[in-house]
Amino acid sequence: MSSVRVAATEEFSFTISEIASDKSISHRSVMFAMLAEGESRIENFLRAEDTMNSLEIVKNLGAEVEDDGEVIKIASDGIKESFEVLDCGNSGTGMRLFCGLLSSANGHFVLTGDKYLRSRPMKRVTAPLIQIGAKLDGRQDGNFAPLSIRGASLRAFDYKSTIASAQVKSCMILAALRADGICSYTEPELSRDHTERMLQGMGADIRVDGLTTTIVPMQKPLSPLSIRVPADPSSAFFFAVAAAITPNASVVLKDVTLNPTRIEAFKVLEHMGADISYEITDNKYEPIGDIYVSYAPLHSVVVSENIAWLIDELPALSIAMATAKGESVVKNAEELRVKESDRIATVVEGLRACGIEVDEYKDGYKIVGGELHSAKVDSDGDHRIAMSFIIAGLRCGMEVSDLECINTSFPNFFELLEKITKVEFS
Ligand code: S3P
């Protein structure tokens, strides 16, 4: 399955209950279980490459894991030195959060990943960790994996981050839980807050006041986690865009996390004219529910705020922008350049191949809405670029290559896509 041809489609109406489970919450659930006394219980864990790598790492760190394919039970009596090199695969979340978790653990650990992850910047976590006493190193002065960690005692800190990154914030919160005093972490804009919500739910003393999080180190192990992982809004969003760009189409996306720090892209799509509503059906750790999306003609939009809340959805959102009336602009999104690919470059290149006029900026792009044309687009090994251009194909037909990456986050993507269009692999 190295490339796929998708056909243009016409109106569809589709309820999706099998959207991939949330990646951020799945990673965190297995990691946080290592901080608890007693057995944590995780249902609906994302069984995709990135998160299965985190589960494997947790096993290598000595956790007892029972997995019947439905429920994962994890018990741990503390992090143990691993015989294996810890392989995070393609996952920045995995690597950056494990840095926080392991920097105070007893022993020596090596974290690595695939060729894409080994090229992504790690100094954003290694530098603040080293400042508080962690013993970490990696290529180019600790910026690139493989990273080595020798667990050490960590000093309390008040850290002001210059980037709105939930990965950096979560890494530092995990470090703070074992530091020698009360710590605070301030970010420039609120990033996704699953770590705070889940750890608070497990009994950690974490207080959030605006952009500052105060963390009291753990005096004893936390209570076990018991969670059913909701569907991932970033995965659901591909089908939201599919409905929003296909005349007379509609979808219902079931059991998605409705955490406000995660659904901003839906709000933008709504602002562009799509008909979107939300129904909360549950609230454990965070609100969960269904999202209803129906087609309506789209108009352009400027996206320059709350970027951290829609950073993962920007590639798919740019497909909607390409079909909208008028010029859409994305600004303040330089972080896109250090994702699984340089997503400013890959979005711009892909849209130009589809005949759309695009201007590239250092921190975003301008898209002149028009008619998407069938093209051949390579994903550059980036799952969200692959799925975004496949969805663009629903409008005009598309060939997309380098597809293995889709397994990192959404293994059943094609099964769902086949319900709305013809898909041919070669
Ligand atoms: C994630 C945070 C975001 C996001 C990534 C998952 C997380 O990254 O892009 O896909 O689970 O914490 P940054 O925090 O680095 O922006």
Side-chain angles (χ1 to χ4, degrees):
M1 185 182 71
S2 63
S3 78
V4 70
R5 219 180 260 278
V6 284
T9 193
E10 288 177 2
E11 70 182 84
F12 57 84
S13 176
F14 184 27
T15 295
I16 318 182
S17 314
E18 307 89 14
I19 295 156
S21 302
D22 192 74
K23 188 144 76 88
S24 294
I25 298 176
S26 294
H27 279 300
R28 285 162 172 78
S29 63
V30 294
M31 292 181 196
F32 298 175
M34 298 218 71
L35 299 171
E37 185 167 59
E39 192 177 79
S40 290
R41 196 187 144 85
I42 304 153
E43 270 180 72
N44 209 34
F45 180 76
L46 174 63
R47 291 174 190 275
E49 279 170 14
D50 274 10
T51 46
M52 291 309 281
N53 281 328
S54 282
L55 181 61
E56 192 56 32
I57 291 176
V58 159
K59 285 186 199 164
N60 285 327
L61 294 173
E64 265 178 49
V65 177
E66 241 183 74
D67 179 4
D68 65 3
E70 295 280 320
V71 180
I72 298 177
K73 295 179 183 164
I74 301 181
S76 157
D77 60 352
I79 295 169
K80 304 287 183 310
E81 204 166 41
S82 169
F83 181 74
E84 304 290 341
V85 166
L86 307 171
D87 188 355
C88 301
N90 189 246
S91 176
T93 305
M95 184 165 285
R96 294 187 178 122
L97 270 63
F98 274 119
C99 281
L101 192 69
L102 296 178
S103 53
S104 61
N106 233 333
H108 173 253
F109 309 91
V110 178
L111 288 167
T112 191
D114 67 12
K115 64 177 181 184
Y116 302 100
L117 185 58
R118 278 180 276 131
S119 309
R120 292 181 63 192
M122 292 298 145
K123 211 158 210 168
R124 53 183 59 200
V125 292
T126 57
L129 286 171
I130 289 169
Q131 250 176 44
I132 60 167
K135 295 197 166 51
L136 273 123
D137 212 345
R139 287 183 302 120
Q140 293 193 23
D141 205 17
N143 197 25
F144 295 111
L147 300 175
S148 70
I149 304 176
R150 158 73 58 195
S153 358
L154 304 180
R155 292 183 291 275
F157 61 85
D158 293 308
Y159 185 70
K160 288 192 177 35
S161 172
T162 53
I163 37 175
S165 160
Q167 295 178 355
V168 178
K169 175 173 62 174
S170 303
C171 164
M172 295 308 286
I173 291 176
L174 290 169
L177 285 176
R178 295 173 184 267
D180 67 3
I182 297 177
C183 303
S184 77
Y185 181 93
T186 304
E187 52 188 340
E189 244 185 47
L190 189 64
S191 60
R192 68 190 65 187
D193 61 358
H194 308 296
T195 296
E196 300 86 306
R197 289 172 183 261
M198 291 167 72
L199 290 173
Q200 280 167 343
M202 296 170 75
D205 190 350
I206 294 179
R207 281 163 244 165
V208 181
D209 181 12
L211 299 174
T212 299
T213 305
T214 304
I215 309 105
V216 179
M218 287 159 50
Q219 303 303 320
K220 54 179 178 39
L222 303 178
S223 311
L225 185 74
S226 171
I227 193 166
R228 179 175 171 81
V229 181
D232 194 316
S234 338
S235 297
F237 194 66
F238 294 111
F239 289 94
V241 172
I245 65 170
T246 309
N248 302 319
S250 65
V251 280
V252 183
L253 307 161
K254 301 287 287 180
D255 303 323
V256 183
T257 171
L258 299 180
N259 180 324
T261 63
R262 294 295 303 280
I263 55 166
E264 186 72 3
F266 291 87
K267 303 278 173 183
V268 172
L269 198 56
E270 204 181 330
H271 191 68
M272 292 173 77
D275 191 354
I276 303 190
S277 60
Y278 311 82
E279 188 187 350
I280 296 185
T281 54
D282 197 3
N283 199 338
K284 183 166 185 200
Y285 302 107
E286 46 192 76
I288 294 164
D290 304 337
I291 306 180
Y292 298 76
V293 185
S294 301
Y295 171 83
L298 300 179
H299 50 78
S300 60
V301 71
V302 174
V303 177
S304 60
E305 285 173 3
N306 290 334
I307 295 296
W309 295 10
L310 46 58
I311 191 85
D312 291 341
E313 293 79 15
L314 281 172
L317 195 58
S318 38
I319 302 301
M321 290 170 171
T323 70
K325 189 168 183 296
E327 296 181 357
S328 293
V329 175
V330 174
K331 295 280 290 168
N332 301 326
E334 206 163 356
E335 273 296 296
L336 282 177
R337 295 216 180 259
V338 290
K339 293 294 176 190
E340 285 84 329
S341 68
D342 173 346
R343 285 186 180 154
I344 293 182
T346 42
V347 163
V348 168
E349 195 185 325
L351 286 178
R352 283 185 183 152
C354 300
I356 297 292
E357 195 184 324
V358 193
D359 283 348
E360 177 171 351
Y361 308 135
K362 198 165 128 271
D363 63 344
Y365 36 77
K366 178 173 87 184
I367 297 175
V368 182
E371 203 46 57
L372 281 163
H373 292 286
S374 181
K376 278 190 183 176
V377 175
D378 187 87
S379 75
D380 203 14
D382 184 333
H383 56 136
R384 298 202 200 279
I385 296 299
M387 290 185 275
S388 297
F389 283 93
I390 289 170
I391 292 299
L394 297 178
R395 218 26 208 223
C396 52
M398 195 72 68
E399 189 175 336
V400 179
S401 56
D402 201 352
L403 304 173
E404 291 304 325
C405 49
I406 292 175
N407 287 328
T408 61
S409 66
F410 202 164
N412 62 334
F413 173 74
F414 286 113
E415 250 168 66
L416 299 175
L417 188 74
E418 275 168 346
K419 299 189 180 177
I420 55 177
T421 195
K422 202 166 139 231
V423 176
E424 265 177 76
F425 295 102
S426 55

